[in-house]
Amino acid sequence: MKDVAARAGVGLKTVSRVVNEEPGVTPDTVARVQAAIDALGFRRNDSARLLRTRRTASVGLVLEDLADPFYAPLSRAVEDVARANGALLFTGSSAEDPRREQELVLAFCARRVDGLIVVPAGDDHRYLIPEIEAGVATVFVDRPAGRIDADMVLTDNAGGTRDGVAHLIAHGHRRIGFIGDQPGIHTAAERLRGYREAMADAGLPIRPEWYSMGPTNPERVRAVLASLLSGPEPVTALFAGNNRVTVTAVRVLSHHPRPVALVGFDDFELADLLDPPVTVVAQDSPGLGRSAAQLLFRRLEGGADAAPERLELPARLIARGSGEIPPAP
Amino acid sequence: MKDVAARAGVGLKTVSRVVNEEPGVTPDTVARVQAAIDALGFRRNDSARLLRTRRTASVGLVLEDLADPFYAPLSRAVEDVARANGALLFTGSSAEDPRREQELVLAFCARRVDGLIVVPAGDDHRYLIPEIEAGVATVFVDRPAGRIDADMVLTDNAGGTRDGVAHLIAHGHRRIGFIGDQPGIHTAAERLRGYREAMADAGLPIRPEWYSMGPTNPERVRAVLASLLSGPEPVTALFAGNNRVTVTAVRVLSHHPRPVALVGFDDFELADLLDPPVTVVAQDSPGLGRSAAQLLFRRLEGGADAAPERLELPARLIARGSGEIPPAP
DNA sequence: CTGAAAGCGCTTACAG
DNA sequence: CTGAAAGCGCTTACAG
């Protein structure tokens, strides 16, 4: 910029005015400065600019895994809102590791992002208190913040599961299994609660061997399913606590002698093409991202003092066939 | 930092030393400075730091769509390499719009990212010449750069398609259709070339009505398929030029009276669960991201002067069933 | 072992 | 309409 000023024979401030299209510069001067800019290939350094203006026009997005298809539409929705607000997006994956989440978040804060959108991996976010006090707007999404009071946008996991299980009950099932993710994960616990509530609402007992929480790798899911489907009184229907469980369940059930009804939490591509097409409880993944980002920018535009909000988006039952299979006699 | 120095009764430089864990500070001084840091809740501003050190430790990733499952593993691989090199990741979607691609790229450059990984939407990247000359390492991935000589990491699209079509020919097909994406997209054109080559290698003629290039929305694909499958001599097999075409083709073919063989470019989740399971030519999506990022960081570590490289990763045929259906008599 | 001065590339607040 | 000075929060290069 100094070089441009020298070449155009003007002061630094005038170059700054031209670059920022501020009014009050003679067309003649503008032309001279512009010529110098072009000749020197000058490109403003936004990092320096932002150091002075104290807004970085950037937000950090931390999610569980950039490669997880569930978070892809969420990221895209966040990006769209960020772009509409003139902000750039830092992204990173926590890989479900609280330490990595914290590292990423603090790295973003050290860059002085204006705001943060976090799918939490950990359950203690007190490390964020100094940042939030320093003015970093923060919205948690998909899972609640731990041990701090903060904005969050969640899916109604319990309600969605309740609807899904009630759907199975309405189709005549009494012995319904539930396979969920690790109980420490909030969404997993909420879904289990929904299962319990739906059964209780229908006056149905739950046997302890009907539900199981833990890692959702195919091996464990297969083992659990094998036990659910064996014995004198096997379950006649299964509620799969997430995407990965559903996929393994579909594989196993397609080779099972008796038809077993299935409802899965989370929609997935081609669910309607399988045989039978898979009934799911679908989350509004772009809606989560959009709502979180909109809330974030509202905070940034002066709504910083209002009390933290907690939004809960509904999940939607999509009946496709697998959830409408009647119990085997 | 000034406040910390004042409170600890030391100079700015000493605070800087403590923060950066530089040697040559008395343990006693370190303790005093650390106490001041904690008391004041000081957090170093990396943006300011980076202004001085002239490295931002960040790279920009521009892809077609953050929400596209194909790019999710690519992004994740880039992120992993970036993290291993201590860099943060800016990401953005071009939405297949060259202007948006350029906007994003230049916005990243204005933040002075150290490097850029770009899935190009446009076919003229001369706008990047000043940036590259200014030292921004740039690697194109998935599609080649337009009108500039630059590093790129691509899939062998023509070779992969050749293998896929040859596979259909080996199973007895002679009338093979091809539905591809817009001909202006490099990967689409390359795949068409592979189709032509495989047919020519086998001495088979291609009728102009057997292949069609254009938008891959379901409506168009359905219409093209309808015409390919009608008439006195319909095709007995189809090569689908990408994921979206494959999905629509699966839907249409499942309702078609005669069995039609299908091979699709790009793998997708649950392809093995469909009926019949779908034979695909799979790209190494994480490999693309990893190779591109590794090349980028090699450039950043001093390899800036070497001639641009062009890597081509193989695509792999995965036979699952749909590609092994023999021609209807 | 420690610190004052200059500078990274911009903008702010002000004066002319 | 224009520009010199100070400053954003750090590091570099140097001196003591």
Side-chain angles (χ1 to χ4, degrees):
Chain A
M1 199 158 128
K2 219 164 47 183
D3 299 340
V4 172
R7 186 180 178 114
V10 299
L12 268 180
K13 176 63 209 178
T14 299
V15 177
S16 174
R17 283 196 184 92
V18 172
V19 169
N20 296 313
E21 300 178 359
E22 286 172 32
V25 187
T26 348
D28 182 54
T29 313
V30 172
R32 240 174 38 248
V33 172
Q34 195 58 56
I37 287 175
D38 294 341
L40 266 40
F42 169 78
R43 311 157 305 136
R44 180 176 67 190
N45 181 333
D46 273 351
S47 296
R49 164 195 172 71
L50 296 165
L51 177 59
R52 198 61 178 85
T53 55
R54 328 216 50 176
R55 256 225 173 184
T56 59
S58 62
V59 316
L61 171 64
V62 178
L63 26 79
E64 193 260 314
D65 186 352
L66 267 180
D68 183 331
F70 171 71
Y71 292 112
L74 189 155
S75 311
R76 178 61 196 270
V78 170
E79 187 204 345
D80 288 342
V81 176
R83 177 199 309 272
N85 285 275
L88 256 32
L89 197 64
F90 278 111
T91 42
S93 309
S94 71
E96 211 68 88
D97 176 350
R99 261 206 328 250
R100 229 164 109 166
E101 171 208 303
Q102 179 170 349
E103 258 176 51
L104 264 173
V105 162
L106 292 180
F108 290 159
C109 287
R111 300 292 175 105
R112 295 293 186 273
V113 292
D114 298 330
L116 232 30
I117 292 181
V118 182
V119 176
D123 54 4
D124 185 351
H125 297 95
R126 285 176 297 179
Y127 70 86
L128 258 167
I129 293 174
E131 307 297 335
I132 292 174
E133 278 173 356
V136 182
T138 306
V139 179
F140 290 82
V141 64
D142 189 42
R143 304 169 188 172
R147 314 189 68 168
I148 63 172
D149 193 25
D151 287 314
M152 44 189 110
V153 180
L154 311 173
T155 294
D156 179 7
N157 287 285
T161 305
R162 219 186 299 121
D163 293 348
V165 174
H167 184 75
L168 290 167
I169 296 172
H171 281 80
H173 296 276
R174 296 296 171 260
R175 299 196 305 273
I176 302 174
F178 178 96
I179 304 181
D181 209 334
Q182 323 236 37
I185 299 178
H186 176 262
T187 53
E190 281 291 291
R191 292 173 197 174
L192 177 60
R193 182 164 72 84
Y195 163 73
R196 288 182 186 285
E197 288 178 2
M199 295 295 272
D201 288 350
L204 296 174
I206 299 178
R207 293 203 207 134
E209 62 268 29
W210 286 351
Y211 62 91
S212 170
M213 307 289 281
T216 57
N217 56 302
E219 297 69 33
R220 192 189 76 93
V221 173
R222 278 177 191 280
V224 172
L225 257 174
S227 101
L228 284 179
L229 296 172
S230 64
E233 290 203 309
V235 302
T236 63
L238 175 71
F239 190 93
N242 73 20
N243 230 321
R244 300 191 61 205
V245 175
T246 306
V247 170
T248 302
V250 168
R251 287 184 206 278
V252 171
L253 295 182
S254 68
H255 296 299
H256 193 67
R258 288 185 312 282
V260 175
L262 172 68
V263 175
F265 208 105
D266 291 330
D267 200 4
F268 55 96
E269 224 192 350
L270 305 189
D272 59 322
L273 269 187
L274 299 183
D275 179 32
V278 181
T279 295
V280 299
V281 175
Q283 298 193 65
D284 181 5
S285 168
L288 287 173
R290 194 182 324 115
S291 305
Q294 285 169 342
L295 181 49
L296 187 79
F297 284 101
R298 246 187 293 137
R299 295 294 187 198
L300 253 22
E301 275 152 21
D305 304 324
E309 278 182 38
R310 181 191 176 108
L311 253 70
E312 208 158 76
L313 269 48
R316 197 165 45 95
L317 180 77
I318 305 178
R320 293 201 179 104
S322 74
E324 294 74 50
I325 296 174
Chain B
M1 198 156 127
K2 219 164 45 183
D3 299 340
V4 172
R7 184 178 181 115
V10 299
L12 269 180
K13 177 63 212 179
T14 300
V15 177
S16 174
R17 282 196 184 92
V18 172
V19 170
N20 296 313
E21 299 179 359
E22 286 171 32
V25 186
T26 347
D28 181 56
T29 314
V30 171
R32 237 170 45 245
V33 171
Q34 196 58 56
I37 287 176
D38 294 342
L40 266 40
F42 169 79
R43 310 157 305 136
R44 180 176 68 188
N45 182 333
D46 273 351
S47 296
R49 166 194 169 74
L50 297 164
L51 176 60
R52 198 61 179 86
T53 55
R54 328 216 50 174
R55 257 223 173 185
T56 59
S58 62
V59 315
L61 170 63
V62 179
L63 27 78
E64 193 260 314
D65 186 352
L66 267 180
D68 183 333
F70 171 71
Y71 292 113
L74 190 155
S75 311
R76 178 61 196 271
V78 170
E79 187 204 346
D80 288 342
V81 176
R83 174 196 312 269
N85 285 273
L88 255 31
L89 197 63
F90 279 112
T91 41
S93 309
S94 70
E96 211 67 91
D97 175 351
R99 261 205 327 249
R100 229 164 111 165
E101 172 207 302
Q102 179 170 350
E103 259 176 50
L104 264 173
V105 163
L106 293 180
F108 290 159
C109 288
R111 300 291 175 105
R112 295 294 185 271
V113 291
D114 298 329
L116 231 29
I117 293 182
V118 182
V119 175
D123 54 4
D124 184 352
H125 297 95
R126 286 175 298 179
Y127 71 85
L128 258 168
I129 294 174
E131 308 296 336
I132 292 173
E133 279 173 355
V136 183
T138 305
V139 178
F140 290 82
V141 66
D142 190 42
R143 306 171 186 171
R147 314 189 68 170
I148 64 171
D149 195 23
D151 287 316
M152 45 189 110
V153 180
L154 310 173
T155 293
D156 180 7
N157 288 286
T161 306
R162 219 186 300 121
D163 293 349
V165 174
H167 185 74
L168 290 167
I169 294 171
H171 282 80
H173 296 276
R174 295 297 170 262
R175 300 195 305 273
I176 301 174
F178 178 96
I179 304 181
D181 210 334
Q182 323 237 37
I185 299 177
H186 175 264
T187 53
E190 281 291 292
R191 293 172 197 175
L192 178 61
R193 182 163 74 82
Y195 164 72
R196 288 182 186 285
E197 288 178 3
M199 295 295 272
D201 288 351
L204 295 174
I206 299 177
R207 292 202 207 137
E209 63 269 27
W210 286 352
Y211 63 91
S212 169
M213 306 291 280
T216 57
N217 56 301
E219 297 71 32
R220 191 189 77 93
V221 172
R222 278 177 191 280
V224 172
L225 257 174
S227 102
L228 285 177
L229 296 172
S230 65
E233 291 203 307
V235 302
T236 63
L238 174 72
F239 190 93
N242 72 21
N243 230 321
R244 300 192 62 205
V245 175
T246 306
V247 170
T248 303
V250 168
R251 286 184 205 279
V252 172
L253 295 181
S254 68
H255 296 301
H256 192 68
R258 288 187 310 284
V260 175
L262 172 69
V263 175
F265 208 105
D266 290 331
D267 199 5
F268 55 97
E269 223 193 350
L270 305 190
D272 60 321
L273 268 189
L274 299 184
D275 179 31
V278 181
T279 295
V280 299
V281 175
Q283 298 193 64
D284 181 5
S285 167
L288 286 173
R290 195 182 322 113
S291 306
Q294 285 168 342
L295 182 48
L296 186 79
F297 283 101
R298 247 188 292 135
R299 295 296 187 195
L300 252 23
E301 274 153 22
D305 303 326
E309 279 183 36
R310 181 191 175 107
L311 253 70
E312 208 158 77
L313 270 49
R316 197 166 45 96
L317 181 77
I318 306 177
R320 294 201 179 103
S322 74
E324 294 74 49
I325 296 174

